[in-house]
Amino acid sequence: MRISELSRRSGVATATIKYYLREGLLPPGRATAATQAEYGESHVRRLRLIRALIGVRGLSVSAAKDVLDAVSEYATDTHELLGLVFGVWPASGAAKDEDAYADDSEVGALLAQMGWKVSEHNPARDVITQTLQTLRSLGMDYDWHSLVPYAQLAEKTATLDLDQLEGPDDPLEKAERAVLLTFLLEPALLALRRLAQEAESTVRYRS
Amino acid sequence: MRISELSRRSGVATATIKYYLREGLLPPGRATAATQAEYGESHVRRLRLIRALIGVRGLSVSAAKDVLDAVSEYATDTHELLGLVFGVWPASGAAKDEDAYADDSEVGALLAQMGWKVSEHNPARDVITQTLQTLRSLGMDYDWHSLVPYAQLAEKTATLDLDQLEGPDDPLEKAERAVLLTFLLEPALLALRRLAQEAESTVRYRS
């Protein structure tokens, strides 16, 4: 297909596609004339993944390029692929600075209790540590034990998430679905909790 | 207690307490001299709730005052109290502009399926509608049916949330716990999902 058709199919503007070509995020098409090239389905899928990484996950163009390069390298390894698009381990292979690790002994205890194997690069670790510290600084009696029932429900949520990635065999498509479903569903999951809170409050206090 | 002790107990700076007194968020203490007043436990609890509404929920000072006035009015009605601090219905009693309602027939179908009774002012409705529209605009085959299993888990999460509000009888304390647990736990719940995704990915693709 021509670049105009590629633009229509992927929902990405022609000027943006040319920019991605120059920056090396998108491999060149097959040249058919001095100023024309032919693009294929793999370009459509790759553009969709780029859009997901930049537009939805909020990566910079160069960070997206690192992830795309790594996705090509680990295309047959689903676990590695998902870790890359979720940012669980760095695409560049650069190790996190040792000093950057907060004391996450509470997270360690929670993970051990749940039997979860999780990379030490997973940025979600720090979020848990900070939340517990903030709640305690505001006078709440809260530690990792309080999160165990929530973690059990998160485990069921993650099972639903990964079930939806079982379909596509194409690694680019799988990576795109993983980004869209994980990042775009976040506000909806919090909104479902708010709706459920109101519904539960009605049942408890209005019956 | 003196204002300095009130500051120490509540974690709010003296200058900020004086500002809240001038703005009417905090009722005056009992005057003991021309420039001195005596404050009680109700001031400590009210300051903690103010801090939660402004610092955690991100309300403006005047919006926090509206909520505090309404909390005093509905102190004995837990359902009304929780609706106010969650923003489910407007503290001022002002109705939402009719034109502001998006087409939320999908949310209606989801609520009916779940058997949830939810106010039409609940801002979480729009979040669900927008998420579904965004996912479809990116080519995903997604509608409200896809959210039902997530809604069932949200229902269990909300039950955990409300169980933790059963303790305190004091309405100010109950409102403060509701704000802290709902808003501060949000990033932690999303982080637990990420950790669980990685753990589940390890089980599925690395065994």
Side-chain angles (χ1 to χ4, degrees):
Chain A
M1 72 193 84
R2 299 278 186 79
I3 196 167
S4 55
E5 170 75 0
L6 179 61
S7 170
R8 199 187 60 73
R9 287 278 308 283
S10 64
V12 176
T14 306
T16 309
I17 294 176
K18 288 180 177 168
Y19 172 62
Y20 292 157
L21 285 166
R22 282 197 305 276
E23 295 294 320
L25 271 78
L26 198 62
R30 188 172 52 84
T32 53
T35 59
Q36 268 183 18
E38 182 73 13
Y39 300 92
E41 287 303 315
S42 70
H43 287 91
V44 176
R45 282 194 297 266
R46 202 170 160 104
L47 269 175
R48 287 195 174 139
L49 176 55
I50 294 170
R51 190 177 54 176
L53 290 172
I54 295 176
V56 175
R57 234 205 93 182
L59 292 188
S60 70
V61 167
S62 76
K65 184 170 189 305
D66 286 347
V67 171
L68 285 164
D69 290 346
V71 164
S72 306
E73 191 176 341
Y74 294 102
T76 57
D77 183 335
T78 300
H79 182 64
E80 203 71 32
L81 194 74
L82 297 181
L84 286 164
V85 297
F86 291 148
V88 166
W89 39 85
S92 61
K96 192 172 163 186
D97 187 356
E98 281 300 320
D99 294 344
Y101 290 103
D103 168 26
D104 72 349
S105 52
E106 279 199 288
V107 176
L110 177 63
L111 295 175
Q113 168 84 26
M114 297 302 298
W116 291 354
K117 289 201 196 322
V118 167
S119 152
E120 61 184 10
H121 296 284
N122 195 318
R125 288 171 166 268
D126 289 350
V127 177
I128 305 284
T129 302
Q130 283 159 20
T131 300
L132 291 172
Q133 285 171 353
T134 303
L135 281 168
R136 283 196 292 265
S137 77
L138 293 170
M140 301 280 288
D141 181 23
Y142 229 77
D143 68 13
W144 68 268
H145 294 91
S146 325
L147 292 180
V148 170
Y150 289 107
Q152 287 162 343
L153 293 172
E155 196 167 66
K156 293 189 168 66
T157 304
T159 300
L160 290 177
D161 294 332
L162 269 79
D163 285 350
Q164 296 174 77
L165 301 180
E166 292 288 348
D169 284 332
D170 179 80
L172 292 182
E173 197 178 333
K174 202 188 271 279
E176 183 210 358
R177 285 181 72 91
V179 173
L180 294 183
L181 286 176
T182 296
F183 290 83
L184 289 181
L185 277 187
E186 288 192 338
L189 296 181
L190 296 179
L192 287 173
R193 178 184 179 220
R194 298 288 183 88
L195 294 174
Q197 283 177 335
E198 191 192 337
E200 175 71 14
S201 171
T202 305
V203 170
R204 289 195 191 196
Y205 302 112
R206 273 295 153 87
S207 54
Chain B
M1 73 193 83
R2 299 279 187 78
I3 195 166
S4 55
E5 170 75 0
L6 179 61
S7 169
R8 198 187 61 72
R9 287 279 309 281
S10 64
V12 177
T14 306
T16 309
I17 294 176
K18 287 180 177 169
Y19 171 63
Y20 292 157
L21 286 165
R22 284 198 303 276
E23 295 294 320
L25 272 78
L26 198 63
R30 189 172 51 83
T32 52
T35 59
Q36 268 183 17
E38 183 74 12
Y39 300 92
E41 287 303 315
S42 71
H43 287 91
V44 176
R45 282 194 298 266
R46 203 169 160 105
L47 270 175
R48 287 195 174 139
L49 177 55
I50 293 170
R51 189 177 55 174
L53 290 173
I54 295 176
V56 175
R57 234 205 92 183
L59 293 187
S60 68
V61 167
S62 76
K65 184 170 188 307
D66 285 348
V67 171
L68 286 165
D69 290 346
V71 164
S72 306
E73 191 175 340
Y74 295 101
T76 57
D77 183 336
T78 300
H79 181 64
E80 202 71 34
L81 193 73
L82 297 181
L84 286 164
V85 297
F86 291 147
V88 167
W89 39 85
S92 61
K96 192 173 163 185
D97 188 355
E98 282 299 321
D99 293 343
Y101 290 104
D103 168 25
D104 73 350
S105 52
E106 280 199 288
V107 176
L110 177 64
L111 295 175
Q113 168 83 27
M114 296 302 298
W116 290 354
K117 289 200 196 322
V118 167
S119 152
E120 61 183 11
H121 293 105
N122 195 318
R125 288 171 166 267
D126 290 349
V127 177
I128 305 284
T129 302
Q130 283 159 19
T131 300
L132 290 173
Q133 285 170 354
T134 302
L135 280 168
R136 283 197 293 264
S137 77
L138 294 170
M140 301 280 288
D141 182 23
Y142 229 78
D143 69 11
W144 68 267
H145 294 91
S146 326
L147 292 179
V148 170
Y150 289 108
Q152 287 162 343
L153 293 173
E155 195 168 68
K156 293 190 169 65
T157 305
T159 301
L160 291 176
D161 294 330
L162 268 80
D163 285 350
Q164 295 174 76
L165 301 180
E166 292 289 349
D169 284 333
D170 179 79
L172 293 182
E173 197 177 333
K174 201 187 273 276
E176 184 211 358
R177 284 181 73 90
V179 173
L180 294 184
L181 286 177
T182 294
F183 291 82
L184 290 181
L185 277 188
E186 289 191 338
L189 296 182
L190 297 179
L192 286 173
R193 178 184 178 220
R194 297 287 185 88
L195 295 173
Q197 283 177 335
E198 191 192 338
E200 175 71 14
S201 170
T202 304
V203 171
R204 290 196 190 196
Y205 302 111
R206 275 292 153 91
S207 53

